[in-house]
Amino acid sequence: MSTRTRKAGAARPPGVPGQEAEGPLPGAGGGTAAADGSGPDADAGDVPRYAPRWLELRESADASARARELLDPLRVRLTNLPGRAKGLVIHDLGCGTGSMGRWLAPRLDGAQHWVMHDRDPYLLHFATAGAPRAAADGSRVTVTTQRGDLGRLTADALAGASLVTASALLDVLTQDEIDTLAAACAGAGCPALLTLSVVGRVELAPADPLDAEIAEAFNAHQRRGDLLGPDALSAACDAFGRHGATVRVRPSAWRLGPEDAELAGEWLRGWVAAACEERPGLAPRAEAYLRDRLTACAAGELDVTVHHSDLLALPGPAGSTS
């Protein structure tokens, strides 16, 4: 998949359009833009380099937000997989520094082999170094890495996969890319757990008259070009459904309070910057707005809720496409 530099779901970091926690598919840039505002590393050639610090900063919020109620139906499906005794093979798409593996591997029983996909070898290094070592029952977890392109993701590429996972992925994809992902998972007969997709709703307390206007501009920014942004979740449900999958969706909002002030501040900078990039006329009012919001955030007087949803697609019988 082509490199993206404009994600923000649970928001992009300050100053540059950037990707969310984990970033686009088999390695499409692997994660969000630099949390220090520096953006991609100019020396990284054609592979943008994003600050692991931002991914680290948001990992705890991501872990708290993911919908645990989707794990029971997933466990049931994985338990009944043919060849389960040999262990699970899990492909994590756009893995960033590997936070999905660190969250999920200790919640599943049995030996697991994770294939971490990302375009950025720098982030793949972190994903390997920080990889989980043990499953919920103490079984061994192993990791390999792979650089790839969503355009070449096929059922053959996922042959033998027990599960496909991703975080903060869908809303930086096009319709064609979502269709490709759903078709590959269906062809391989493997479930997909796709977490933390933005749905276009943000709540700040206390409220401000400019909140809605910035949110609207931000959502428009997410839909630039062919990207689906907040519409991606619905598109993915339809795409997996056309291939006969049973699709479950559950909310997975970030709920940031005083203890999350650093993360909320970085999120605010990115959220406002994207809105102003989309609608430059907002900039004069947004400057004062951001200053006031950051002051409240630092004082522990601001709560932020960024709504996401998690999707679990369980494949139907072979040949069950609609």
Side-chain angles (χ1 to χ4, degrees), residues 1-2 23-30 91-95 116-120 146-154 157-158 164-165 169 173 181:
M1 146 174 170
S2 60
L25 243 97
H91 289 253
D92 188 28
L93 308 180
C95 68
M116 301 288 196
H117 297 260
D118 204 287
R119 190 177 179 186
D120 188 344
Q146 183 174 322
R147 295 177 67 187
D149 189 306
L150 174 56
R152 294 190 293 272
L153 185 69
T154 63
L158 297 177
V164 167
T165 65
L169 169 67
L173 298 184
L181 172 60

Side-chain angles (χ1 to χ4, degrees), residues 283-321:
R285 289 178 294 152
E287 182 177 358
Y289 170 91
L290 178 59
R291 182 177 60 249
D292 292 344
R293 285 306 205 184
L294 290 175
T295 298
C297 185
E301 298 171 352
L302 182 68
D303 292 323
V304 177
T305 302
V306 182
H307 291 275
H308 311 94
S309 287
D310 291 359
L311 179 156
L312 174 64
L314 301 175
S320 60
T321 57

Side-chain angles (χ1 to χ4, degrees), residues 233-261:
L233 181 72
S234 177
C237 290
D238 291 344
F240 279 96
R242 286 194 297 272
H243 288 280
T246 299
V247 179
R248 304 185 187 204
V249 175
R250 297 292 184 272
S252 55
W254 270 9
R255 301 186 187 279
L256 308 181
E259 67 279 8
D260 307 300

